[in-house]
Amino acid sequence: MIEVTRVAPGVDLVRLSRPARRNALDLAGFRALAQAWREIESGDTRVAVITGTRDFSSGADLATLDADVRATGRQAWVDIEQALLRDVVLTTPVVSAVEGLCFGAGMELVGATDIRIAGGDAVFALPEVRHGFIPSGGSVARLPRQLGPAAAMQILLTGARFGADRLFHWGFLSEVVGPGEALDRALELAGTIAGHPVAAVAAIKRAVAEGLAGTLDEAYAAESRIGREILRR
């Protein structure tokens, strides 16, 4: 279900590959994805690109997930949250390449990536409210900060589907490219980033993450402190 391949120097491609279920993630898939992130973070990967086979992901596989989580307990939620990069900041930059469906947990995962590229016919939704629960992979906390409360609430409360152009207009996506072109563009960006000094890239990620977690004054302080650390290297 989760395939990781080295596609260029320092660049790993993470692919969700369960096309018969439109890359829906069951518990085994979440666990494999969480493990992939751990291996990427501990290895020599400079940039990771995540995509799916045909679609990005139709979300969690609700047909099996509830029973599996009940049988496994709290550890299952830890694995799911790590897979979706909820409250997890990797030092490795992650670029997402989205085509086709990007629903539920799939959209939550994209929202945790650093750069987000979508094909023009990609479709996004957080449909959890229609099924009687809430997105719990980070979107309720993160989306209002990324898009502003009005746009975030429209996505969260309606459960409706939105096209790539609307999500780009709202600031959720970095770029919208032609249908079928998202992966090529994501790999192009990943190659550029991978060519930069690793310490500087990691420092930028760290400074941005610390800054977003605090006030503007705290963000300036983090920028100054981390900037001085890099200059002393």
Side-chain angles (χ1 to χ4, degrees):
M1 160 110 208
I2 307 299
E3 302 170 353
V4 182
T5 53
R6 177 62 52 92
V7 293
V11 179
D12 283 352
L13 178 64
V14 181
R15 184 182 292 275
L16 311 180
S17 188
R18 195 188 179 199
R21 294 285 293 163
R22 306 193 88 159
N23 305 329
L25 289 159
D26 58 12
L27 184 55
F30 280 116
R31 285 180 163 164
L33 182 56
Q35 180 62 26
W37 294 133
R38 288 191 289 268
E39 292 176 359
I40 283 170
E41 187 71 351
S42 65
D44 63 350
T45 306
R46 290 185 167 220
V47 186
V49 175
I50 185 161
T51 193
T53 300
R54 295 198 293 272
D55 295 290
F56 187 82
S57 174
S58 59
D61 188 345
L62 299 180
T64 62
L65 189 63
D66 184 60
D68 288 344
V69 168
R70 289 177 185 273
T72 309
R74 174 57 191 163
Q75 185 56 47
W77 286 112
V78 172
D79 295 331
I80 291 168
E81 290 168 1
Q82 290 181 350
L84 298 179
L85 301 176
R86 182 187 185 276
D87 201 26
V88 174
V89 180
L90 303 180
T91 60
T92 306
V94 182
V95 183
S96 50
V98 182
E99 302 282 356
L101 299 186
C102 186
F103 292 172
M107 183 171 172
E108 297 208 86
L109 175 57
V110 171
T113 61
D114 300 298
I115 299 174
R116 307 161 204 160
I117 311 300
D121 58 359
V123 182
F124 299 80
L126 290 173
E128 287 83 351
V129 68
R130 293 162 49 196
H131 301 286
F133 54 98
I134 72 171
S136 55
S139 292
V140 170
R142 188 170 52 227
L143 208 59
R145 291 168 170 80
Q146 293 175 331
L147 279 62
M153 291 297 271
Q154 186 169 342
I155 294 170
L156 292 165
L157 291 178
T158 65
R161 300 183 179 192
F162 298 90
D165 287 339
R166 175 67 69 88
L167 269 292
F168 175 76
H169 174 74
W170 277 339
F172 183 78
L173 297 172
S174 307
E175 293 184 26
V176 177
V177 296
E181 298 176 3
L183 181 56
D184 287 343
R185 177 58 177 153
L187 291 172
E188 179 185 4
L189 290 167
T192 297
I193 297 166
H196 298 325
V198 174
V201 170
I204 288 171
K205 281 212 60 175
R206 181 179 158 209
V208 169
E210 288 190 24
L212 288 173
T215 65
L216 182 58
D217 285 343
E218 290 168 337
Y220 286 140
E223 176 186 283
S224 297
R225 171 171 42 81
I226 294 169
R228 288 193 296 270
E229 290 174 6
I230 291 297
L231 289 174
R232 288 197 295 266
R233 286 177 177 267

